[in-house]
Amino acid sequence: MIRRAHLYWAIMPGDKRRPVVVLSPDARNALAHDVIVAPLTTTLRSSITHVRIRPREGGARSASVVACERITTLEKETLHPVALGGPLSAERMDEIARVVLRAIGIPIDV
């Protein structure tokens, strides 16, 4: 099963393969045909809508950022079925959730 807080390789629109972090809850992931994700990028630009991920965190190969302004849904079939590593910490997922809210215009302190 695709699990929340884990990183997976995914085929994004345009056939670009990149890691994503699953944001949708496991109960939804078990029942739906798609999952809610945010892509990672190794272009380390500072932004109020990015969250930094350290190398090896969650199985990331290198320092990356979660592009929280680019949240999307993907069909489960576009994700590799095996996670890159263990889950991101609860603290990191809380940070990502706060930044997603900021990205969609909900004022929040991070």
Side-chain angles (χ1 to χ4, degrees):
M1 183 175 96
I2 303 295
R3 309 231 3 154
R4 176 177 167 77
H6 286 76
L7 305 180
Y8 295 87
W9 284 110
I11 304 299
M12 300 294 289
D15 293 330
K16 182 161 183 153
R17 181 176 171 253
R18 71 170 58 246
V20 296
V21 60
V22 175
L23 304 177
S24 47
D26 288 339
R28 181 188 188 283
N29 297 339
L31 300 173
H33 295 287
D34 59 8
V35 291
I36 303 167
V37 301
L40 275 68
T41 180
T42 55
T43 303
L44 302 177
R45 287 187 289 239
S46 291
S47 170
I48 63 168
T49 59
H50 289 176
V51 174
R52 288 201 178 236
I53 303 291
R54 295 182 309 274
R56 295 179 299 284
E57 186 178 0
R61 292 184 178 172
S62 58
S64 304
V65 294
V66 179
C68 296
E69 75 281 7
R70 295 186 57 212
I71 56 174
T72 189
T73 56
L74 294 176
E75 295 294 320
K76 287 180 184 176
E77 295 79 33
T78 65
L79 275 68
H80 189 275
V82 178
L84 298 176
L88 296 176
S89 68
E91 294 82 8
R92 181 70 73 221
M93 288 303 292
D94 286 345
E95 180 182 6
I96 291 169
R98 288 190 309 271
V99 174
V100 165
L101 290 174
R102 176 186 282 165
I104 63 172
I106 297 173
I108 191 156
D109 292 328
V110 177

